[in-house]
Amino acid sequence: MTTPLELPLHMRRNGLDPVEELARARDREGVVRVETPFGLPAYLVCRHEDVRRVLSDPAKFSSALTPFPGAEQMTAEELAKMQAGQLIGFDPPEHTRLRRMLTPEFTVRRIRRLEPRITEIVQAALDDLEQAGQPADLVEHFALPVPSLVICELLGVPYSDRAEFQERSVRLLDTSLPMEQRIAAQRDDRAYMAGLAASAQADPGEDMLGMLVREHGDDLGTDELIGIAGLLLLAGHETTSNMLGLGTLALLRHPDQLAMIREDPARVEPAVEELLRWLSILNSLPPRTTTTEVEIAGHVIPAGSLVICSLSAANRDPAVIDDPEHLDITRESTGHVAFGHGVHHCLGAPLARMEMRIAFPALLKRFPGLALADPDEQVDFRALSLVYGVNRLRVTW
């Protein structure tokens, strides 16, 4: 069984970088045996081309067949409720049915309508950061509040509940916690989401949950609505908040690149893509299960095996990216897999991109003298979390 001190290879980091052992596994073997954070044996796929192949083929690499963490501690009825609406745990055509209901709300065109409101939210967070006084925690006052408020307004979740759902999110993603505590967090989260779903069904508003009830109420079960709401709330604030925190840290450690964005905000678009690639805050996506014997990078993987795709290794694969260990915000598009690939490509990618494109230039414009308040070695990384990031980041200006 993997212990917190023996993180799976794909979760190991050296600050902002994956460990060298992961790069060696990619460059030499391409596929290596590992354990999942929950102690199950798996095959780790490391190369960019192979990762895209796995993520593109749900017929051979199934999400639906992968064991649900903690399933052995649930009744069949509870397990079915926990899995309902969780897009990441389904294959087509069920995945397609659920995703089709949400896709219209996450198109680039639809997300652009949110730009004025996101700009207001960013400016309010910067005001709060400034009023906190120096040194201030960038995570507490900026990186976490911005995406949290955006996703709350989008879903119709009371922002006053943010401390509660953020605390649950930390427990859900912390691999060091015993499974019993993680399941308790899942149950608490589902109970909260059930209340929101009931409110939306009783009086559908103009938010996304209200839209789902009005337009798909006959096709979408209550348990599915609860599951979708929980997944979107978790993914909507956890990933982007950690990108804002880690991305700011990366830019502060590369002052030449930071200066480019501060002096020319138009550079932020390629900068966001490069930060997504270079940081890869999702070490991996949920495991897939092979439905047949497959061969990857010369390795035969039996049917019924767990397969994990290392996004951080794939995003720094020298076979497809020149000088991949170097952060370069002027780099041309790399085809990174930070948002996944294939049918499970991140639904909220347009929203996350917009939040970062607004937030980074605004932060650097407001605080041109932004600097770390603590030495590099004191940065508190979230090493045990399924979403990599920093717990806090004290800054001055």
Side-chain angles (χ1 to χ4, degrees):
M1 178 71 74
T2 301
T3 69
L5 297 180
E6 298 173 335
L7 283 171
L9 176 59
H10 58 287
M11 290 183 65
R12 298 176 198 164
R13 302 266 186 152
N14 180 16
L16 296 177
D17 300 307
V19 294
E20 292 183 6
E21 184 183 357
L22 181 59
R24 288 196 296 270
R26 177 195 61 220
D27 299 341
R28 294 177 183 176
E29 293 91 8
V31 176
V32 293
R33 298 297 300 272
V34 296
E35 285 186 351
T36 71
F38 313 109
L40 298 174
Y43 291 85
L44 182 67
V45 177
C46 302
R47 294 174 182 165
H48 188 274
E49 179 182 2
D50 296 329
V51 164
R52 286 171 62 95
R53 174 190 164 194
V54 170
L55 299 180
S56 298
D57 193 350
K60 292 182 180 177
F61 303 93
S62 169
S63 298
L65 296 179
T66 300
F68 190 84
E72 67 281 356
Q73 299 184 33
M74 303 178 191
T75 65
E77 181 182 4
E78 183 181 22
L79 179 59
K81 289 180 178 293
M82 287 289 189
Q83 291 178 305
Q86 297 289 327
L87 280 75
I88 57 176
F90 289 101
D91 301 324
E94 183 65 9
H95 171 268
T96 308
R97 179 184 74 86
L98 292 170
R99 186 173 175 117
R100 188 176 292 130
M101 299 178 189
L102 295 167
T103 298
E105 297 299 310
F106 286 99
T107 61
V108 172
R109 182 178 179 181
R110 187 70 63 91
I111 293 301
R112 280 179 182 155
R113 299 194 316 196
L114 300 175
E115 184 171 357
R117 179 58 184 140
I118 294 175
T119 299
E120 291 177 356
I121 290 171
V122 166
Q123 292 301 326
L126 291 173
D127 292 342
D128 182 59
L129 179 64
E130 188 169 14
Q131 291 167 11
Q134 305 181 56
D137 182 5
L138 186 88
V139 173
E140 177 184 354
H141 296 284
F142 183 71
L144 189 52
V146 168
S148 295
L149 183 51
V150 171
I151 198 64
C152 279
E153 292 192 358
L154 200 60
L155 289 177
V157 176
Y159 187 58
S160 56
D161 294 346
R162 66 190 181 281
E164 179 184 345
F165 69 69
Q166 286 165 0
E167 187 274 333
R168 282 196 306 271
S169 297
V170 170
R171 285 191 287 146
L172 285 167
L173 297 169
D174 188 348
T175 61
S176 70
L177 292 180
M179 184 55 69
E180 292 79 6
Q181 293 185 33
R182 290 169 55 84
I183 292 175
Q186 290 177 5
R187 288 169 175 154
D188 292 344
D189 194 61
R190 192 179 184 285
Y192 174 77
M193 293 300 164
L196 294 179
S199 297
Q201 289 171 327
D203 184 17
E206 296 303 313
D207 51 74
M208 192 174 297
L209 295 187
M211 177 278 295
L212 287 171
V213 171
R214 286 195 309 275
E215 299 184 12
H216 304 286
D218 294 338
D219 304 317
L220 191 67
T222 297
D223 289 331
E224 290 179 321
L225 181 63
I226 293 169
I228 288 173
L231 178 62
L232 293 180
L233 182 60
L234 176 66
H237 79 274
E238 273 291 336
T239 50
T240 308
S241 68
N242 283 291
M243 270 303 303
L244 290 174
L246 269 193
T248 300
L249 175 60
L251 291 173
L252 288 172
R253 289 184 173 178
H254 295 80
D256 56 328
Q257 318 249 339
L258 182 151
M260 290 184 199
I261 302 173
R262 186 179 59 228
E263 294 164 11
D264 182 7
R267 290 182 177 269
V268 72
E269 188 167 336
V272 164
E273 298 307 311
E274 176 68 351
L275 287 167
L276 285 163
R277 177 199 73 82
W278 195 71
L279 292 170
S280 297
I281 61 164
L282 287 178
N283 299 297
S284 64
L285 298 174
R288 271 50 170 180
T289 299
T290 53
T291 61
T292 185
E293 181 179 279
V294 295
E295 182 175 334
I296 301 177
H299 299 263
V300 175
I301 301 177
S305 301
L306 288 182
V307 173
I308 297 174
C309 291
S310 173
L311 302 186
S312 54
N315 279 334
R316 296 197 183 195
D317 189 344
V320 294
I321 303 163
D322 293 333
D323 194 15
E325 299 299 323
H326 177 59
L327 178 70
D328 179 6
I329 67 168
T330 67
R331 194 187 299 274
E332 295 294 326
S333 176
T334 59
H336 67 73
V337 289
F339 284 123
H341 183 69
V343 298
H344 286 285
H345 182 271
C346 178
L347 185 67
L351 177 60
R353 285 186 166 110
M354 174 166 282
E355 290 178 274
M356 287 185 277
R357 289 171 185 169
I358 294 172
F360 283 126
L363 173 67
L364 300 180
K365 180 181 179 180
R366 175 74 71 91
F367 303 110
L370 192 70
L372 293 175
D374 301 312
D376 282 356
E377 61 271 14
Q378 292 184 14
V379 174
D380 184 14
F381 291 101
R382 295 177 53 173
L384 301 173
S385 177
L386 293 173
V387 180
Y388 194 63
V390 285
N391 288 311
R392 62 191 60 84
L393 191 69
R394 299 201 316 149
V395 296
T396 60
W397 52 86

